[in-house]
């Protein structure tokens, strides 16, 4: 779990490395019966799209043929780097960090082109996982649930502490803070209980040190109004967790366990190396490592297994009653486990458009392209290849995707491309003069975190 300071210091070298590689990258328990239901293969269930719906691949434009994408406005935050931009409906929040081990969360009033409020914290911003961020990659940022904004900060460079803060999203007023000498993360909120995890710090003696034994992890049930601890459960070697259907699901070692809102064990099942827990419909899907892919197992709220499937997939995104899995294949499952469509070819880094109708992903054929999949749809709509040997989807509005590509000869390492979200045609390009940390779309405007600024881009004419 890197801190903000570690990331900023390594940003240049990390991008340089990226340019040269491609990611291919206790209570009694009850036994969970294995379902007799067989999940059909993609070739049996995924119909070929009609000829008119087949995806098109847009050719990479020449750099001198693209119009310049001029910002609509730029907002100086006056608080160091803007590490992340998080959209919640039509609200936009910025995660900020200075060079003195301080961080802040700010609400961006984009209509007035100013910060509506800013709340500062002791400690660096910490990379953590929140539900419903619209992508499956860990990032600095906030999570908003039931009228409360949650953020984690801490001193992780010294393996000292982290703290979970609950704020009023309208004013930034701090309602409570929960601090532990552990790595905190947020699993979700069920009713009036915030579910948080706290893994014991591991202090390595060298870069490649790993724990000899699985690290203890506490799962906390916190009162959403006060932050007080209602209950605590101890696990060891937790690798995944989340909430679904008013239940807490914890993956550890070779087991996945379901808890109720009071922390009591409801069910447990053996599995291999759980890597993700996702709420799909009224149940939960657990992705467990299995060779070069994953075994997907769906459980109802009662712990009964509904379906399972094995695929060479590694990253996952849940959208309502659908599960999207990426890896050597891109696969769309419905809540019953049926494969609605499947596209061959390695993809990664899923990104959901604000309206929930398009899923973007980095296509790793040459690690330079952006794929667009219709939701629910019937597969890939288009592929945009950036004019670079390395590119990916950085952010999206309802009608536009912003592709970022490494272009060291043309900009300060990366360029931002405005791409039409329907056809995949490039429209304009922006050459930043500072590091691009994040991009988020609200309505028809894309907002980029560039250096210490929030930069607004409207759709090119």
């Amino acid at each position: 779990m890197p801190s903000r300071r570690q990331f900023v210091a390594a940003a240049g070298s990390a991008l340089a490395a990226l340019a040269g590689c491609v990611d291919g990258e206790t209570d009694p328990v009850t036994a969970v019966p294995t379902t007799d239901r067989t999940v059909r293969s993609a070739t049996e269930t995924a119909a070929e799209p009609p000829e008119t719906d087949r995806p098109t691949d847009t050719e990479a434009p020449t750099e001198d043929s693209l119009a310049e994408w001029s910002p609509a406005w730029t907002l100086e935050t006056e608080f160091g780097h803007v590490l992340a931009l998080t959209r919640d409906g039509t609200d936009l929040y910025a995660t900020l960090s200075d060079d003195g081990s301080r961080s802040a969360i700010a609400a961006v009033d984009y209509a007035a082109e100013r910060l509506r409020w800013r709340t500062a914290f002791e400690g660096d911003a910490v990379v953590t996982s929140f539900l419903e961020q619209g992508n499956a990659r860990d990032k600095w940022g906030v999570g908003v649930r039931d009228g409360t904004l949650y953020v984690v900060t801490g001193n992780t460079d010294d393996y000292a502490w982290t703290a979970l803060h609950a704020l009023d999203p309208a004013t930034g007023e701090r309602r409570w803070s929960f601090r532990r000498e552990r790595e905190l993360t947020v699993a979700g909120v069920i009713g009036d209980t915030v579910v948080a995890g706290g893994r014991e710090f591991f202090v390595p003696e060298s870069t490649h040190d790993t724990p000899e034994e699985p690290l203890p992890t506490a799962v906390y049930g916190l009162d959403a109004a006060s932050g007080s601890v209602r209950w605590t459960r101890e696990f060891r070697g937790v690798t995944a967790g989340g909430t679904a259907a008013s239940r807490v699901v914890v993956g550890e070692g070779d087991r996945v366990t379901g808890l109720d809102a009071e922390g009591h064990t409801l069910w447990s099942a053996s599995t291999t190396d759980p890597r993700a827990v996702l709420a799909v419909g009224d149940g939960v899907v657990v992705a467990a490592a299995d060779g070069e892919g994953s075994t997907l197992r769906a459980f109802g709220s009662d712990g009964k297994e509904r379906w399972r499937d094995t695929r060479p997939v590694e990253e996952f995104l849940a959208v309502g009653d659908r599960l999207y899995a990426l890896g050597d294949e891109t696969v769309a499952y419905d809540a019953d486990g049926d494969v609605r469509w499947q596209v061959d070819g390695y993809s990664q880094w899923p990104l959901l458009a604000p309206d929930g109708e398009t899923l973007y992903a980095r296509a790793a054929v040459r690690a330079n392209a952006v794929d667009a999949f219709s939701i629910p749809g019937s597969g890939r709509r288009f592929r945009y290849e950036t004019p670079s040997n390395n590119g990916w989807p950085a952010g999206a509005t309802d009608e536009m995707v912003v592709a970022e590509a490494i272009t060291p000869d043309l900009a300060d390492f990366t360029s931002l491309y405005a791409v039409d979200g329907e056809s995949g045609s490039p429209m304009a390009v922006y050459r930043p003069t500072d590091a691009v940390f994040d991009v988020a779309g609200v309505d028809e405007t894309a907002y980029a975190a560039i250096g210490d600024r929030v930069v607004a881009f409207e759709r090119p004419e």
Side-chain angles (χ1 to χ4, degrees):
M1 180 176 63
S3 71
R4 191 281 315 164
R5 282 181 290 164
Q6 290 171 321
F7 176 82
V8 172
S13 58
L15 285 173
L18 183 62
C21 68
V22 178
D23 296 338
E25 5 181 288
T26 71
D27 292 339
V29 299
T30 56
V32 178
T34 300
T35 179
D36 292 329
R37 182 180 180 280
T38 300
V39 177
R40 292 170 290 171
S41 69
T43 55
E44 294 174 313
T45 60
E48 277 290 309
E51 192 69 32
T52 55
D53 293 339
R54 292 184 183 276
T56 58
D57 295 352
T58 63
E59 295 183 0
T62 59
E63 289 296 328
D64 56 5
S65 69
L66 284 176
E68 179 183 353
W69 197 13
S70 299
W73 50 263
T74 298
L75 174 62
E76 302 282 348
T77 62
E78 301 178 355
F79 197 96
H81 294 88
V82 185
L83 297 181
L85 295 170
T86 305
R87 177 187 60 85
D88 180 65
T90 57
D91 292 326
L92 184 66
Y93 301 97
T95 300
L96 313 175
S97 190
D98 67 7
D99 294 326
S101 295
R102 287 196 316 145
S103 56
I105 299 298
V108 179
D109 184 342
Y110 44 82
E113 301 175 17
R114 66 181 180 88
L115 298 182
R116 189 168 70 246
W117 54 258
R118 185 175 68 196
T119 301
F121 305 93
E122 177 188 4
D124 293 319
V126 172
V127 172
T128 187
S129 298
F130 292 99
L131 295 183
E132 300 178 351
Q133 281 205 138
N135 63 60
R137 302 175 64 191
D138 289 350
K139 60 183 281 186
W140 288 276
V142 302
V144 182
R145 277 295 188 86
D146 301 332
T148 300
L149 184 152
Y150 298 97
V151 60
V152 177
T153 64
N155 180 352
T156 58
D157 286 352
D158 298 325
Y159 307 97
W161 58 271
T162 55
L164 167 63
H165 311 281
L167 310 180
D168 184 326
T171 64
E173 179 182 356
R174 193 177 325 193
R175 292 172 174 167
W176 51 262
S177 295
F178 175 74
R179 174 168 166 163
R180 287 293 185 273
E181 294 179 359
R182 291 191 172 203
E183 299 178 16
L184 291 176
T185 189
V186 180
V189 180
I190 48 178
D192 58 356
T193 300
V194 180
V195 181
R199 184 172 61 184
E200 187 175 278
F201 280 113
F202 172 69
V203 183
E205 295 183 0
S206 63
T207 304
H208 300 291
D209 273 0
T210 57
E212 294 183 0
E213 297 180 353
L215 295 173
T217 297
V219 177
Y220 306 101
L222 308 177
D223 185 282
S226 65
S228 60
V229 180
R230 288 179 168 174
W231 53 265
T232 303
R233 288 290 306 272
E234 289 287 341
F235 295 87
R236 189 169 282 274
V238 172
T239 54
T243 58
S246 300
R247 300 291 186 266
V248 185
V249 182
V250 180
E252 55 165 342
D254 61 354
R255 184 162 294 279
V256 60
T257 303
L259 312 176
D260 65 16
E262 286 73 45
H264 302 132
T265 295
L266 296 173
W267 54 269
S268 186
S270 61
T271 187
T272 59
D273 190 16
R275 64 170 63 172
V277 171
L278 304 107
V280 179
D282 63 349
V284 60
V285 174
V286 177
D290 187 356
E292 296 182 358
S294 297
T295 293
L296 304 179
R297 300 179 65 187
F299 299 93
S301 59
D302 56 1
K304 292 183 178 179
E305 187 179 75
R306 293 177 172 175
W307 58 267
R308 69 168 65 185
D309 193 15
T310 300
R311 296 271 170 176
V313 292
E314 301 172 358
E315 296 185 69
F316 313 91
L317 187 67
V319 184
D321 291 339
R322 286 286 178 95
L323 173 68
Y324 299 90
L326 286 73
D328 287 348
E329 303 171 351
T330 303
V331 188
Y333 297 88
D334 65 17
D336 294 327
D338 287 321
V339 175
R340 310 314 301 176
W341 52 261
Q342 175 262 327
V343 176
D344 291 331
Y346 192 85
S347 62
Q348 60 186 178
W349 302 356
L351 173 70
L352 185 65
D355 61 5
E357 295 182 359
T358 304
L359 174 69
Y360 297 102
R362 183 193 194 203
V365 177
R366 289 177 47 223
N368 74 326
V370 175
D371 277 352
F373 302 93
S374 296
I375 296 181
S378 58
R380 182 163 67 90
R381 190 165 71 242
F382 68 77
R383 169 171 291 171
Y384 166 65
E385 292 193 17
T386 67
S388 167
N389 66 352
N390 211 299
W392 56 90
T397 68
D398 291 341
E399 298 182 355
M400 174 180 65
V401 60
V402 180
E404 185 174 0
I406 296 177
T407 55
D409 295 334
L410 301 170
D412 286 356
F413 216 68
T414 65
S415 296
L416 296 179
Y417 298 87
V419 179
D420 183 84
E422 182 62 32
S423 67
S425 300
M427 298 179 288
V429 61
Y430 177 71
R431 311 291 188 189
T433 57
D434 210 334
V436 178
F437 288 95
D438 199 8
V439 179
V442 181
D443 294 330
E444 300 308 316
T445 303
Y447 299 90
I450 303 177
D452 62 353
R453 306 175 303 282
V454 176
V455 184
F457 294 93
E458 296 177 347
R459 178 186 169 88
E461 296 294 334

